[in-house]
């Protein structure tokens, strides 16, 4: 449950010197004096089980890597405590402070019907934690997560798992968005789940087509990211470049982050190239 929450928080256009950055979810990183080749894999946090496929290319490269590096270290024994510590608004704000009585009752009923959880017991829970609880409802199918499968494969090889940021750091980016806007986005999702399902379907379709430019657009237009791509995507990408470089100096790393972080002027592909790395697509 904790891993699902952490991954959910974690939840997903141009060319450079003639180099296409609009397609491809799997990339090889080399050059700049690196001792070994590293890899960058863009994931989607949830996918219908019948559409889910882990390429042999990915399995092979992960099996050769010295570490699996995710947005958050989902194998951290302290993860449960860190998630529990950061699940609630720091200053005790409640969802009822920002929504009308009628709006609150609609959300409470929705959660009871879809998850069996009573919102009356979670009034101070952060909006993005609440959002993570309803993500599985956006797909009318049995779901799988790349993060869970990557963790399983790493465990089979006893490959260490690392994280680019902590739960606290990840949530600190959301703290820059007014709570009222975050709760309003949550209410918007619950009010029109059909629209949410359609948008999530587009996201899954774009992922299967490896259209990372479209993925970035869809992520940026989603209610929880709209108007805040700078904070929730771009700034996080930039904060990851230095630790990625430090880790790659130690050996072959297998980075796995949301595919929405790959494309764009401030996406990881372009940022890595600006740092002087050779970044090449691996076709799946």
């Amino acid at each position: 449950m904790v891993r699902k929450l952490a991954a959910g928080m974690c939840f997903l256009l141009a060319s450079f010197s003639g180099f296409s950055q609009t397609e491809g979810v799997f990339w090889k990183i080399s050059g700049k004096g690196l001792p070994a080749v590293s890899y960058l894999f863009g994931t989607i946090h949830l996918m219908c089980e019948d559409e889910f496929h882990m390429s042999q290319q990915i399995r092979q490269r992960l099996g050769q890597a010295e570490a699996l590096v995710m947005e958050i270290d989902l194998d951290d024994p302290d993860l449960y405590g860190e998630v529990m510590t950061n699940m609630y608004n720091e200053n005790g704000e409640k969802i009822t402070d920002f929504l009308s009585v009628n709006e609150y009752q609609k959300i409470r009923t929705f959660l009871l019907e879809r998850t069996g959880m009573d919102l009356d017991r979670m009034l101070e829970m952060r909006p993005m934690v609440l959002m993570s609880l309803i993500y599985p409802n956006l797909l009318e199918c049995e779901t799988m997560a790349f993060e869970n499968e990557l963790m399983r494969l790493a465990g089979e090889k006893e490959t260490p798992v690392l994280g680019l940021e902590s739960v606290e750091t990840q949530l600190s980016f959301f703290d820059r968005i007014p709570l009222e806007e975050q709760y309003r986005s949550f209410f918007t999702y619950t009010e029109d789940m059909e629209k949410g399902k359609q948008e999530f379907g587009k996201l899954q379709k774009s992922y299967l087509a490896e259209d990372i430019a479209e993925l970035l657009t869809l992520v940026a237009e989603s209610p929880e990211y709209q108007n805040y791509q700078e904070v929730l995507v771009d700034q996080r990408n930039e904060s990851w470049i230095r630790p990625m470089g430090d880790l790659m100096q130690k050996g072959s790393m297998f980075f796995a982050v949301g595919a929405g972080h790959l494309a764009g002027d401030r996406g990881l592909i372009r940022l890595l190239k600006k740092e002087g790395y050779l970044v090449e697509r691996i076709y799946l």
Side-chain angles (χ1 to χ4, degrees), residues 253-276:
M253 298 290 144
F254 190 103
F255 298 101
V257 301
H261 291 280
L262 301 187
D265 289 340
R266 296 167 72 181
L268 291 178
I269 296 170
R270 173 164 287 195
L271 292 176
L272 287 166
K273 286 189 67 68
K274 284 184 177 180
E275 288 293 310

Side-chain angles (χ1 to χ4, degrees), residues 1 5 115 117 122 125 129-137:
M1 178 62 173
L5 285 173
T115 70
M117 298 181 182
M122 304 183 289
M125 190 169 282
V129 179
L130 293 174
M131 282 291 296
S132 71
L133 298 177
I134 67 170
Y135 280 143
N137 288 278

Side-chain angles (χ1 to χ4, degrees), residues 28-192:
K28 177 173 67 173
I29 308 169
S30 60
K32 202 178 177 179
L34 292 179
V37 172
S38 287
Y39 302 92
L40 174 63
F41 177 46
T43 69
I44 184 171
H45 296 311
L46 283 179
M47 179 172 282
C48 287
E49 188 174 18
D50 59 356
E51 297 278 5
F52 185 89
H53 175 66
M54 186 71 77
S55 166
Q56 186 59 36
Q57 293 261 43
I58 295 169
R59 295 173 183 271
Q60 179 182 351
R61 265 63 173 202
L62 175 57
Q64 297 169 348
E66 295 185 31
L68 166 63
V69 187
M70 312 175 84
E71 295 180 25
I72 294 173
D73 178 0
L74 298 180
D75 199 36
D76 185 351
D78 297 326
L79 179 65
Y80 178 81
E82 192 173 358
V83 170
M84 294 303 294
T85 300
N86 290 281
M87 283 180 67
Y88 299 94
N89 295 319
E90 186 175 359
N91 297 315
E93 299 93 339
K94 300 177 181 179
I95 186 172
T96 49
D97 296 334
F98 305 99
L99 299 180
S100 69
V101 173
N102 183 53
E103 289 170 335
Y104 172 75
Q105 287 303 326
K106 285 184 177 181
I107 291 181
R108 180 172 179 265
T109 299
F110 175 89
L111 279 178
L112 276 171
E113 292 176 349
R114 300 299 183 101
T115 70
M117 298 181 182
D118 190 346
L119 193 54
D120 280 352
R121 300 179 180 179
M122 304 183 289
L123 294 178
E124 298 177 11
M125 190 169 282
R126 288 176 183 260
M128 289 312 300
V129 179
L130 293 174
M131 282 291 296
S132 71
L133 298 177
I134 67 170
Y135 280 143
N137 288 278
L138 296 175
L139 290 173
E140 296 178 328
C141 58
E142 293 296 321
T143 60
M144 291 189 68
F146 276 101
E147 287 79 8
N148 291 342
E149 183 65 9
L150 290 170
M151 289 279 294
R152 186 186 68 79
L153 293 172
E156 289 179 353
K157 295 283 188 177
E158 297 186 350
T159 302
V161 179
L162 307 173
L164 291 170
E165 60 190 14
S166 66
V167 171
E168 184 176 5
T169 299
Q170 188 174 94
L171 288 173
S172 72
F173 285 95
F174 286 99
D175 287 341
R176 303 180 194 181
I177 304 173
L179 275 175
E180 183 174 2
E181 292 189 33
Q182 293 188 56
Y183 281 121
R184 184 61 53 186
S185 294
F186 179 53
F187 177 71
T188 299
Y189 252 125
T190 59
E191 272 287 270
D192 193 353

Side-chain angles (χ1 to χ4, degrees), residues 10-13 21 29 40-43 45 70-71 164-165 169-170 173 176 212 215-217 219-220 225 228-245 248 255-275 277:
C10 314
F11 209 85
L12 278 166
L13 299 177
Q21 297 177 359
I29 308 169
L40 174 63
F41 177 46
T43 69
H45 296 311
M70 312 175 84
E71 295 180 25
L164 291 170
E165 60 190 14
T169 299
Q170 188 174 94
F173 285 95
R176 303 180 194 181
I212 56 175
L215 275 168
L216 176 61
T217 299
V219 168
Y225 283 83
Y228 291 99
Q229 178 182 334
E230 162 77 19
V231 173
L232 300 180
V233 180
D234 298 340
Q235 290 183 14
R236 290 176 68 207
N237 292 343
E238 290 165 354
S239 73
W240 291 344
I241 293 300
R242 175 171 289 182
M244 288 177 71
M248 289 189 290
F255 298 101
V257 301
H261 291 280
L262 301 187
D265 289 340
R266 296 167 72 181
L268 291 178
I269 296 170
R270 173 164 287 195
L271 292 176
L272 287 166
K273 286 189 67 68
K274 284 184 177 180
E275 288 293 310
Y277 298 104

Side-chain angles (χ1 to χ4, degrees), residues 13-14 19-27 209-214 262-263 269 281-283:
L13 299 177
F19 172 69
S20 172
Q21 297 177 359
T22 61
E23 294 182 346
V25 297
F26 196 34
W27 301 80
E210 297 192 50
D211 188 342
I212 56 175
E214 178 66 12
L262 301 187
I269 296 170
R281 180 183 178 185
I282 297 176
Y283 288 82

